[in-house]
C-alpha cells in the first residue's frame, strides 16, 4: 500500500495562500490522491482528490507532479477556520480503503 | 454537514466488556467503512461493507465485527474490550461498491475503555 509523507506542522498568515506538500513516491498508476482535513477531533472533511491532472474546487487546488510522486494542496486565501490537521491520502486501487498518515497540522495566524 | 450520523457521541466501558457503535449513512449510500483513530494518530481502516456484505478488512482482530442493514444503518461491534481500544471510531459512507467515489465521514464516537 502506498504511503504518504507530510511535514508535521506548518504556519500560515491569515489571507495568504497555504501550500501543503505531500510525498507519495510509491503510488501506483491507478491510485488516487485524496485530501481530507480534521478540525478538533471531528470527522474528517473531504477537500479534493485527483489522479494525474491538477484539480480545483471551491475549497482548494491540488497540484500533482508529472511523475505523481508528490502533490501540493493549495488553500488560496487561508482563514482562521482553516486551522486543522490536513491528511494526504492514497486510496488503494479497486478498494475504498483510505490509508491515513500522520497529517500536517496547519495553524493559520492573524 | 455530511448527512452521516453516529451514536453515541461518547461511551465509557471497562476492559472485557462488549460495545456496539452505530452509524447512519447518507440515503442511497450502499458502502460504509469504519475507521479507528487513536489519540494523535490518523484514522486506521477497520473494514468496509457493501450491501450488507463485508468486502474489505484492515489489520484488526476478529473481535471487531460489523453489520450493515438495508436501511443504510450499520454497526461496529467490539468484543472483549482492551485498554488500547480507546479511540475515536469513525464511519464513512459512499455510493459505490468499491467506495471509489468520495467517502463522507460522520462525527465519530469517542470510546474510553477503563
Amino acid at each position: 500500500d502506498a504511503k504518504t509523507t507530510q511535514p508535521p506542522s506548518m504556519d500560515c498568515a491569515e489571507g495568504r495562500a497555504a501550500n501543503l506538500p505531500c510525498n507519495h513516491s510509491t503510488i501506483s498508476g491507478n491510485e488516487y490522491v485524496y485530501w481530507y482535513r480534521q478540525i478538533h477531533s471531528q470527522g474528517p472533511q473531504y477537500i479534493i482528490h485527483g489522479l494525474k491532472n491538477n484539480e480545483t474546487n471551491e475549497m482548494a487546488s491540488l497540484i500533482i507532479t508529472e511523475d505523481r510522486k508528490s502533490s501540493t494542496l493549495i488553500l488560496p486565501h487561508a482563514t482562521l477556520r482553516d486551522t486543522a490537521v490536513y491528511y494526504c491520502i492514497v486510496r488503494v486501487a479497486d478498494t475504498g480503503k483510505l490509508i491515513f498518515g500522520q497529517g500536517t497540522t496547519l495553524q493559520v495566524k492573524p | 454537514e455530511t448527512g452521516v450520523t453516529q451514536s453515541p457521541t461518547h461511551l465509557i466501558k471497562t476492559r472485557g466488556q462488549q460495545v456496539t457503535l452505530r452509524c447512519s449513512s447518507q440515503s442511497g449510500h450502499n458502502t460504509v467503512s469504519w475507521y479507528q483513530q487513536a489519540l494523535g494518530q490518523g484514522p486506521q481502516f477497520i473494514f468496509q461493507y457493501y450491501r450488507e456484505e463485508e468486502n474489505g478488512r484492515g489489520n484488526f482482530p476478529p473481535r471487531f465485527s460489523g453489520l450493515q442493514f438495508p436501511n443504510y444503518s450499520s454497526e461496529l461491534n467490539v468484543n472483549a474490550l482492551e485498554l488500547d481500544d480507546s479511540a475515536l471510531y469513525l464511519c464513512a459512507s459512499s455510493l459505490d461498491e468499491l467506495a471509489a467515489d468520495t467517502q463522507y465521514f460522520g462525527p465519530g464516537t469517542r470510546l474510553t475503555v477503563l
Side-chain angles (χ1 to χ4, degrees), chain B residues 31-93:
Chain B
T31 299
V32 65
S33 304
W34 286 89
Y35 292 80
Q36 178 196 66
Q37 185 174 22
L39 201 61
Q41 304 293 318
Q44 300 295 309
F45 176 77
I46 302 175
F47 45 55
Q48 179 178 289
Y49 280 77
Y50 173 74
R51 294 187 185 270
E52 304 160 53
E53 297 281 338
E54 184 181 301
N55 70 345
R57 191 175 184 92
N59 189 26
F60 280 81
R63 59 189 185 84
F64 286 78
S65 63
L67 286 171
Q68 186 185 25
F69 304 101
N71 64 351
Y72 306 113
S73 67
S74 58
E75 293 179 352
L76 165 65
N77 298 289
V78 187
N79 294 322
L81 284 167
E82 302 177 358
L83 298 180
D84 285 347
D85 295 333
S86 294
L88 180 69
Y89 288 86
L90 298 156
C91 72
S93 75

Side-chain angles (χ1 to χ4, degrees), chain A residues 21-67:
Chain A
C22 179
N23 288 320
H24 31 78
S25 58
T26 60
I27 193 169
S28 298
N30 57 352
E31 292 180 327
Y32 282 78
V33 178
Y34 276 74
W35 284 82
Y36 281 76
R37 71 181 183 184
Q38 191 171 27
I39 299 173
H40 194 55
S41 292
Q42 297 175 17
Q45 178 190 21
Y46 167 78
I47 301 173
I48 199 167
H49 74 281
L51 183 63
K52 296 180 182 178
N53 300 321
N54 298 336
E55 302 288 343
T56 295
N57 63 20
E58 65 278 4
M59 289 183 68
S61 295
L62 174 60
I63 308 297
I64 302 174
T65 58
E66 192 169 343
D67 62 8

